[in-house]
Amino acid sequence: MAEARGRPPVWLEFVQSGTAAVCATLIVNPFDVMKTRLQLQPASGARYSGLVTGLVDVGRTEGLRGLQRGLAAASLLQFSNVACRFGFFDIFKGLLLVPGEDGRTAHLKSMAAGGGSGLIAAVVSNPFFLLKTRFQAVDNSGARGSLADAVRTLYASEGASGFFKGLPAFAVRVVVASSVQLSTYETIKAALVARGLSAERVTTHFAASLITGAAVVAAMQPFDLACTRMMSQDGAGRYRNVAHVLVETVRTEGPLALYAGVVANFARFGPYCCLVYVFLEQFRALGKKVGAARDRVSRISQA
């Protein structure tokens, strides 16, 4: 069925958001590598003392390849995850929101739409998150070869179900992050526009996404740590589920351990969130221009 004139096709948001996420990942992946390693190292006898010293250490001992470890899996993860989150959020929001309803109700519905889209995204992208985490967790001495090698090894050792190992933990993480991120960005952006900022300016997108990034990290950090620890373990593993990770971490390492790697997490997710929205808003603007040009050509040809 043809799209209504002036409205972009439904699939376009999937492609634009997924591409924006990959562009952002190319820049922030080194911070993701350090976040993963900081979350996995024990509280005592830790190799990395912090984000900056960790980046220097990895760069010195493993080079650029170490800093960009797991990039292929990370790019596949981000495209599949973000495309589903943003694309289905747009669809669900259209089904749930009613024009003219109060802001609080609209925000809660946006959170529900974000959570629903996050659940779909978690199922689709879980295999790539698992592979990315295992790639980033090792140094040169434990390198896993190519992405194709890792896929074959995982399938041979754990079967098809191995690709969905840790899905409950990952789903909780993505649902929390998605419900906060997608609803918060729109709310903050609308508030900034109401104060006189232009909805089309990059500075507006940057400010709204930076605040959104901080909110997302604060909400999802404990679940992100639990997910990372579950995904990195081979075989039966030490942890049974998200709750077990959280309880065991608090019992053996203290409550502050739930926020291990939070600086690295924000150092990755803050810029990442800004880059995704800045890229996405530019892609959206370009898409509108292309759509408008296509409609003009269509009208001329029908005249």
Side-chain angles (χ1 to χ4, degrees):
M1 183 175 66
E3 295 291 332
R5 180 169 292 178
R7 287 197 59 180
V10 173
W11 57 263
L12 189 59
E13 182 71 4
F14 287 83
V15 174
Q16 289 176 336
S17 58
T19 304
V22 172
C23 291
T25 298
L26 295 174
I27 298 171
V28 303
N29 192 61
F31 298 103
D32 197 26
V33 171
M34 280 315 307
K35 180 216 71 167
T36 299
R37 295 192 183 185
L38 285 168
Q39 288 182 337
L40 292 177
Q41 67 181 1
S44 58
R47 172 179 175 180
Y48 306 110
S49 59
L51 171 63
V52 176
T53 55
L55 287 170
V56 172
D57 186 358
V58 173
R60 179 176 56 81
T61 59
E62 302 174 46
L64 180 61
R65 187 172 183 176
L67 291 170
Q68 288 289 11
R69 190 169 297 282
L71 182 60
S75 296
L76 290 170
L77 161 67
Q78 292 302 328
F79 187 91
S80 60
N81 184 281
V82 175
C84 286
R85 289 198 296 117
F86 281 68
F88 283 110
F89 174 72
D90 211 34
I91 294 172
F92 293 159
K93 188 176 63 172
L95 295 172
L96 292 174
L97 266 62
V98 177
E101 62 188 349
D102 67 275
R104 180 180 176 83
T105 301
H107 185 72
L108 289 174
K109 286 185 177 181
S110 290
M111 290 189 71
S117 66
L119 184 60
I120 296 173
V123 174
V124 172
S125 62
N126 191 82
F128 303 121
F129 183 80
L130 185 146
L131 291 167
K132 176 198 76 78
T133 301
R134 293 189 178 185
F135 264 106
Q136 292 179 343
V138 299
D139 56 20
N140 286 333
S141 62
R144 296 177 181 270
S146 68
L147 179 60
D149 291 335
V151 170
R152 284 192 292 267
T153 301
L154 179 60
Y155 182 76
S157 62
E158 301 182 45
S161 61
F163 291 98
F164 293 94
K165 184 176 183 178
L167 177 58
F170 186 52
V172 171
R173 172 188 182 273
V174 177
V175 167
V176 170
S178 188
S179 62
V180 174
Q181 180 185 12
L182 296 171
S183 60
T184 301
Y185 178 78
E186 293 205 336
T187 301
I188 297 298
K189 182 183 175 184
L192 293 175
V193 171
R195 291 178 177 271
L197 276 70
S198 171
E200 308 302 323
R201 292 187 63 180
V202 173
T203 51
T204 304
H205 308 153
F206 181 84
S209 56
L210 186 63
I211 297 170
T212 298
V216 171
V217 171
M220 78 171 183
Q221 171 65 24
F223 305 107
D224 186 53
L225 179 137
C227 185
T228 299
R229 292 191 173 185
M230 285 200 67
M231 290 287 192
S232 65
Q233 60 187 6
D234 295 310
R238 173 185 176 186
Y239 304 110
R240 297 190 298 272
N241 50 48
V242 176
H244 188 222
V245 177
L246 298 177
V247 170
E248 281 295 297
T249 300
V250 171
R251 184 180 66 83
T252 60
E253 303 175 44
L256 290 180
L258 294 176
Y259 282 83
V262 67
V263 175
N265 203 359
F266 182 73
R268 178 198 71 89
F269 191 82
Y272 165 82
C273 189
C274 292
L275 289 167
V276 167
Y277 277 111
V278 168
F279 282 129
L280 177 56
E281 294 282 10
Q282 299 310 304
F283 290 152
R284 284 171 174 169
L286 178 62
K288 289 178 182 178
K289 291 179 181 178
V290 172
R294 182 188 59 199
D295 289 343
R296 286 196 297 270
V297 171
S298 178
R299 286 195 296 268
I300 292 172
S301 65
Q302 293 173 7

